[in-house]
Amino acid sequence: MELKKIANEMLPKTMAARDWVFQVIRMAIVRGVLPGGMPLRQDEISAALSVSHIPVREAFRQLEAQGLVRIYPNRGAVVTKLTPHELENVMDTRILLEVGTFKTAIPLMTEHDLTHAQEILDEFQAERNPQRYDTLNLQFHFALYAPCNNDVALSMIDYLHANSDRYLRPFYPKKKEDDRAFKAIKEHQMLIDACRSRDAELACAVLRTHLESTKTLLLVSPLLN
């Protein structure tokens, strides 16, 4: 079962059972292992993750709060599926929030922050497993946003990523030589370089263009309704 593979990636458990189960199921939704419209069975998930029903139920509530799951009375939990209009709204909100957060973070960045972002980008460039692209991409963006010191904004960005990234999977490059992979790596490097030179205007322009391109791609995703 694919859920077990994801669970093994996230071992050892370094958080409460509820939060660990939440992270495993969320990753499974983002990766398409649990696609939109799929019912979530407590018994199956409990068995796959070797946990009781309690943390699974609690994780379902967390996932519902993030818009990834809907809980129906007498029917249980079902993975949500966005309409094109809903996904467009998510991306428009992401662009507003991420560009604003990024602009705030740039003057607060240290050399350590930039080195950390570069290390993640280097790891992404060397990665050969497409299953890890979404994780590394998110880590990279958060390495650039984190200096803003605004946990509310970062939490909202995380929520919006989870709701949009699951529709991006069909477009992940099969190999690093693909034009799409080269373009993404180049744009990410441009973000680091602009931050290092403290050119906030250029950095925000690059990020906005990067996110607008992602929005265009997402709206033709075959995973949409």
Side-chain angles (χ1 to χ4, degrees):
M1 186 178 182
E2 289 294 321
L3 204 59
K4 287 184 178 180
K5 292 182 181 179
I6 294 173
N8 288 334
E9 287 180 30
M10 303 182 71
L11 290 173
K13 301 177 188 177
T14 57
M15 59 189 80
R18 175 197 64 186
D19 297 328
W20 180 76
V21 172
F22 162 75
Q23 292 294 344
V24 171
I25 299 175
R26 187 178 114 137
M27 182 65 71
I29 293 173
V30 172
R31 289 186 178 180
V33 173
L34 301 174
M38 182 176 184
L40 299 178
R41 310 296 183 193
Q42 281 190 40
D43 290 345
E44 294 177 4
I45 294 175
S46 295
L49 303 183
S50 300
V51 296
S52 71
H53 286 186
I54 295 174
V56 176
R57 283 197 299 269
E58 292 175 341
F60 284 175
R61 295 190 190 99
Q62 286 181 281
L63 291 161
E64 185 176 42
Q66 287 208 343
L68 297 172
V69 163
R70 186 165 291 118
I71 300 175
Y72 296 96
N74 305 316
R75 285 180 53 195
V78 178
V79 179
T80 58
K81 191 172 185 180
L82 299 182
T83 65
H85 178 66
E86 288 170 334
L87 183 56
E88 185 174 18
N89 286 343
V90 167
M91 283 306 302
D92 286 343
T93 306
R94 267 189 61 183
I95 291 167
L96 286 170
L97 191 54
E98 291 189 45
V99 172
T101 300
F102 188 40
K103 185 176 182 179
T104 301
I106 292 171
L108 301 174
M109 288 180 183
T110 65
E111 185 59 34
H112 173 77
D113 295 323
L114 294 170
T115 299
H116 179 50
Q118 186 66 60
E119 288 172 348
I120 297 171
L121 181 57
D122 292 344
E123 184 179 356
F124 181 89
Q125 192 164 4
E127 182 60 58
R128 292 294 179 264
N129 179 9
Q131 295 285 3
R132 289 204 13 95
Y133 292 169
D134 52 2
T135 301
L136 291 170
N137 179 68
L138 192 59
Q139 287 177 357
F140 173 81
H141 281 276
F142 268 79
L144 294 180
Y145 303 158
C148 76
N149 294 318
N150 187 331
D151 290 341
V152 174
L154 295 176
S155 179
M156 291 180 68
I157 291 170
D158 183 52
Y159 151 75
L160 293 168
H161 263 275
N163 276 275
S164 56
D165 287 354
R166 53 185 169 146
Y167 297 99
L168 197 59
R169 184 154 298 278
F171 305 108
Y172 283 167
K174 299 298 185 295
K175 54 185 180 179
K176 283 292 187 245
E177 292 75 18
D178 289 355
D179 289 344
R180 191 175 294 122
F182 176 79
K183 182 173 182 288
I185 291 169
K186 180 181 178 181
E187 289 175 351
H188 285 169
Q189 187 63 61
M190 288 172 64
L191 289 174
I192 294 176
D193 293 344
C195 289
R196 195 177 295 279
S197 63
R198 303 298 178 182
D199 191 337
E201 184 175 350
L202 173 60
C204 289
V206 172
L207 179 61
R208 182 178 293 277
T209 300
H210 179 70
L211 294 175
E212 289 283 3
S213 297
T214 299
K215 173 186 171 182
T216 300
L217 204 60
L218 283 169
L219 292 178
V220 296
S221 173
L223 300 179
L224 281 174
N225 284 335

